[in-house]
Amino acid sequence: MGGGGGNEAKTEVESREWYMAAYAAEGVPPSDHLKLRTVKLSLVADSIPDGHVALELLFVSVDPYLRTRMSGSRDPVQFELNHVISAFGIGRVIRSKDSKYEEGDIVVHPNCPIAEYCVTSSLMLRKFDPNSGISLPDYISSMGVPGFAAWVGIEVLGDPKPGSNVFVSAASGAVGMYAGQLAKLRGCRVIGSTGSDDKIKLMKEEFGYDDGFNYHKETDYDAALSRYFPNGIDVYLDNVGGRMLEAVLNHVNKYARIPLCGMISQYNKVWTEREGVRNLLNMVGKEVRMEGFMLASYSHRFGEFAEVMERYIKEGKVKTKTKINMGIESFLESLASLFTSSNVGKVVVQVKP
């Protein structure tokens, strides 16, 4: 039976983990709110419940939605204070109390602790296929939260027809890079907004966007959208909210669809200081459908998504860009990078080699 990272003879490991020490109502949570601590984890068989496995974490996904769970507000379910926080991740089985998993198996975990080791129920795990031809980071990028979010937003809720005009905000980010490619595969004209000229070049050359604009330079979003969408917008995948969402509502076509994937421009503000949208009346006359979504509500379609995305990856129809930061200690810096213009593509923390 294969070993896991030299832990075969160990009865206990020390595990560093990130926990929520205090909620941060605004701004990127600093180190006095998100803290790193060391705990001891028993690997003795009797300490692992039946149907559970002990994992050595290899990769952890860093996604903007995590910020919404750190504010202590009425936003989505909050992380518990003094408890380890969690995210999508990949681990190596080092002890198993489930006959379906052996030591050395690599598994994908949709809600694992942001830690070096953990003991977890095997019910949520998916075993990694080493013969799939897909890299481990891809399983938490194109095949993980960002890819699935883009697929639900474009394929399921946006459902653009060939020739449709599709707009994607945060287009060079983890979700945006896949959303644009999926829309192009449906024969759409796709425009994106992003934070630098270099990112526009990346969007067009690597992700196939028809064009895009730099929202730092194009400060009049309404004027920019008039130029890029002279015939209106049919589908808008919203990742930023605020002023951009308001501007889009001045350019939507009749029966347009607006899947709300995220609102990153608003995450670091208390809700009373967030930018409001003043022209929702446009939705009435044009019969626009705006719909927020959580991936958990579409978990029953993950298998369908995975089959489609795996085929696209193998056929070279979907490309990815990943920034890998080394060590569990890099998580806080990795999270902060999501809210700057420096970030491109998917951010991942490699916990163990």
Side-chain angles (χ1 to χ4, degrees):
M1 192 176 289
N7 292 296
E8 299 90 330
K10 291 185 178 181
T11 58
E12 184 180 78
V13 291
E14 288 192 341
S15 176
R16 290 180 295 170
E17 63 180 25
W18 285 95
Y19 71 100
M20 199 83 237
Y23 292 126
E26 55 188 319
V28 178
S31 58
D32 55 345
H33 288 68
L34 272 178
K35 294 185 177 182
L36 189 63
R37 66 188 174 194
T38 300
V39 298
K40 291 184 177 181
L41 190 70
S42 174
L43 298 181
V44 176
D46 289 346
S47 68
I48 301 175
D50 289 339
H52 285 62
V53 298
L55 298 180
E56 178 182 45
L57 278 302
L58 304 178
F59 294 94
V60 170
S61 178
V62 186
D63 299 290
Y65 81 88
L66 295 173
R67 176 63 186 92
T68 68
R69 302 188 63 189
M70 300 175 181
S71 64
S73 70
R74 293 175 291 181
D75 287 328
V77 180
Q78 301 294 290
F79 289 124
E80 291 186 59
L81 290 178
N82 298 314
H83 284 67
V84 62
I85 61 176
S86 59
F88 203 93
I90 294 175
R92 179 189 294 118
V93 176
I94 56 174
R95 294 288 188 274
S96 177
K97 294 290 287 290
D98 185 325
S99 60
K100 297 190 295 293
Y101 297 95
E102 296 184 350
E103 294 175 18
D105 284 346
I106 305 297
V107 295
V108 179
H109 192 320
N111 193 39
C112 70
I114 300 178
E116 292 177 302
Y117 298 91
C118 72
V119 173
T120 183
S121 168
S122 58
L123 289 176
M124 296 187 292
L125 304 180
R126 286 189 299 121
K127 194 178 295 188
F128 169 71
D129 179 4
N131 300 313
S132 67
I134 296 175
S135 71
L136 284 178
D138 269 337
Y139 270 85
I140 50 176
S141 184
S142 53
M143 298 282 289
V145 169
F148 192 31
W151 185 83
V152 172
I154 295 297
E155 297 284 341
V156 180
L157 301 180
D159 191 25
K161 304 300 183 286
S164 294
N165 291 313
V166 176
F167 179 44
V168 179
S169 53
S172 64
V175 174
M177 64 178 168
Y178 300 124
Q181 294 178 82
L182 291 172
K184 287 301 297 180
L185 286 168
R186 292 188 69 142
C188 301
R189 176 178 176 268
V190 187
I191 306 294
S193 63
T194 190
S196 74
D197 293 344
D198 286 341
K199 290 182 181 180
I200 293 172
K201 182 179 180 183
L202 174 74
M203 286 160 39
K204 294 167 67 174
E205 293 182 356
E206 294 194 31
F207 306 144
Y209 275 78
D210 293 290
D211 212 337
F213 64 90
N214 180 345
Y215 64 81
H216 287 303
K217 289 185 174 179
E218 298 278 3
T219 55
D220 185 340
Y221 298 161
D222 198 62
L225 293 174
S226 292
R227 293 201 315 275
Y228 285 95
F229 291 100
N231 298 315
I233 296 170
D234 299 303
V235 173
Y236 170 47
L237 181 66
D238 186 22
N239 290 302
V240 301
R243 289 176 52 221
M244 189 67 78
L245 176 58
E246 183 174 86
V248 166
L249 288 176
N250 288 332
H251 298 272
V252 286
N253 289 327
K254 195 163 186 178
Y255 308 124
R257 295 189 176 190
I258 304 177
L260 301 174
C261 181
M263 295 190 176
I264 195 170
S265 72
Q266 309 300 303
Y267 290 167
N268 290 322
K269 302 176 183 179
V270 295
W271 78 270
T272 53
E273 295 178 4
R274 291 173 180 166
E275 294 166 305
V277 178
R278 299 166 295 181
N279 54 353
L280 289 173
L281 185 60
N282 292 352
M283 295 179 60
V284 179
K286 293 186 177 180
E287 300 181 67
V288 174
R289 179 187 297 178
M290 184 188 298
E291 183 173 353
F293 66 95
M294 298 293 286
L295 293 183
S297 298
Y298 295 87
S299 58
H300 62 289
R301 300 195 64 174
F302 188 87
E304 178 187 352
F305 151 75
E307 182 179 342
V308 170
M309 187 62 83
E310 184 171 337
R311 185 176 74 251
Y312 284 158
I313 294 169
K314 290 179 178 178
E315 293 174 353
K317 292 180 178 178
V318 168
K319 297 179 180 179
T320 191
K321 193 169 187 66
T322 306
K323 175 68 168 68
I324 299 178
N325 296 324
M326 302 301 295
I328 191 72
E329 65 277 3
S330 70
F331 172 77
L332 188 58
E333 181 182 347
S334 299
L335 180 66
S337 75
L338 301 180
F339 301 94
T340 69
S341 295
S342 63
N343 178 54
V344 177
K346 180 75 185 85
V347 177
V348 173
V349 168
Q350 183 167 351
V351 182
K352 296 285 186 178

